[in-house]
Amino acid sequence: MPTPEVEVLAANESFYDAFSRHDITAMETVWSQRTDLACVHPGWDAIVGRREVLSSWRAILASPEAPTVECHQAVAHVIGDVAYVVCSELLPGAELCATNVFVRESGAWKLVHHQAGPVANRMEEPRPVRVPKVLN
Amino acid sequence: MPTPEVEVLAANESFYDAFSRHDITAMETVWSQRTDLACVHPGWDAIVGRREVLSSWRAILASPEAPTVECHQAVAHVIGDVAYVVCSELLPGAELCATNVFVRESGAWKLVHHQAGPVANRMEEPRPVRVPKVLN
């Protein structure tokens, strides 16, 4: 039986899979339908509310400039039925760092909040090797 | 009796108060001592672990360039004993957007994760807080 951390990391991967495939139906499934949502896209103000958050994703994924994204170095922090993942996002020409908050609803981990922001000076700094930590 | 949202917003305010007063003792009190910690300073990779997170704050608050910060538009999202706040941070010459995750421990809301990133086009040119690289 998978640990909660493994389940949360799988839900996190589903988010990036929907993002990279520009699949709005999959993206809508990733986000919670019961808990209110929030989202901070890089350089944007906060967006609050399911309708507003999903509208922003529809606009992003429908754009011909919608990027692909790879998630790396994801670490899941599980606190009961809430969890957050901190991970690196690699986009063409940019690296971001992200926080994704999940809630367990009827056994499924659903995304309720996402924030991503740029990592500066990536090309000039050596990349530290990090040991993934699974936390309780 | 205050609602959980009011309590969480008060804990969030304590974080920004400690930050603005450059008070490392108060900052250490704001963060959880039981749950493992994570932090994403603007422009930097994720920091994981209580020792590492608090070391980064000691370095920031001890710096002669440590900024003051005002928190605005804070919205608390409470999910049982876990909560996250999304808010705006106003620093001299820059505006950031932040996510702060709290856990209720023995009745007190304690910070377990913080991420802040720049809001583009808000002012002249957002300047990320310079965080000394004390890790890895």
Side-chain angles (χ1 to χ4, degrees), chain A residues 13 15-23 27 42 57 60-72 88-96:
Chain A
E13 202 54 50
F15 166 66
Y16 288 105
D17 187 52
F19 191 167
S20 273
R21 289 189 291 109
H22 306 163
D23 183 339
M27 182 60 85
W57 281 105
I60 290 167
L61 300 184
S63 165
E65 296 173 3
T68 57
V69 58
E70 289 178 14
C71 170
H72 292 273
S88 170
E89 298 181 353
L90 291 181
L91 291 80
E95 179 171 352
L96 307 176

Side-chain angles (χ1 to χ4, degrees), chain A residues 45-100:
Chain A
D45 264 330
I47 299 169
V48 176
R50 179 176 174 81
R51 189 173 59 80
E52 292 78 2
V53 169
L54 291 181
S55 289
S56 74
W57 281 105
R58 268 191 290 276
I60 290 167
L61 300 184
S63 165
E65 296 173 3
T68 57
V69 58
E70 289 178 14
C71 170
H72 292 273
Q73 299 174 293
V75 179
H77 304 254
V78 179
I79 311 160
D81 285 337
V82 182
Y84 69 94
V85 173
V86 180
C87 58
S88 170
E89 298 181 353
L90 291 181
L91 291 80
E95 179 171 352
L96 307 176
C97 191
T99 296
N100 298 317

